[in-house]
């Protein structure tokens, strides 16, 4: 369940980033400046990593999923604040 939450927050981050790019903001991460690379990474790679973590039973995997959800949540709050300005 935590993996699904983290992935949903990841997709919100993607949509907010794409919205910001359409409104004149530039991507700061040089690896994500190409939109097709960004979308592929966010949709496929992040999904795969979160799925893999969710199949692990180790405590570290649970912490990593929790950390991913917290980080994506914080990034989404940042996006929303900037969108509403």
């Amino acid at each position: 369940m935590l993996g699904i939450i983290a992935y949903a927050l990841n997709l919100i981050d993607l949509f907010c980033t794409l919205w910001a790019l359409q409104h004149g903001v530039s991507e700061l991460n040089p690896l994500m400046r190409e939109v097709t690379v960004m979308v592929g990474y966010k949709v496929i790679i992040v999904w795969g990593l979160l799925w893999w973590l969710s199949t692990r039973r180790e405590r570290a995997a649970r912490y990593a999923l929790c950390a991913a959800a917290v980080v994506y949540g914080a990034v989404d709050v940042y996006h929303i604040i900037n969108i509403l300005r």
Side-chain angles (χ1 to χ4, degrees):
M1 183 67 169
L2 198 51
I4 294 170
I5 293 169
Y7 188 64
L9 292 169
N10 165 61
L11 291 179
I12 292 169
D13 172 38
L14 173 62
F15 291 129
C16 289
T17 301
L18 293 174
W19 182 89
L21 289 173
Q22 288 181 341
H23 289 84
V25 175
S26 60
E27 174 64 49
L28 296 177
N29 183 347
L31 299 175
M32 297 292 155
R33 289 199 177 135
E34 180 65 39
V35 172
T36 55
V37 172
M38 178 192 316
V39 171
Y41 173 79
K42 293 285 209 171
V43 172
I44 298 167
I45 303 298
V46 171
W47 173 82
L49 290 171
L50 292 172
W51 172 82
W52 180 78
L53 281 172
S54 68
T55 63
R56 305 285 137 224
R57 296 201 179 269
E58 296 89 15
R59 181 176 287 171
R62 290 313 240 176
Y63 287 144
L65 284 172
C66 187
V70 168
V71 168
Y72 279 122
V75 169
D76 291 346
V77 168
Y78 174 78
H79 278 304
I80 291 167
I81 289 169
N82 286 310
I83 287 171
L84 295 175
R85 281 187 181 180

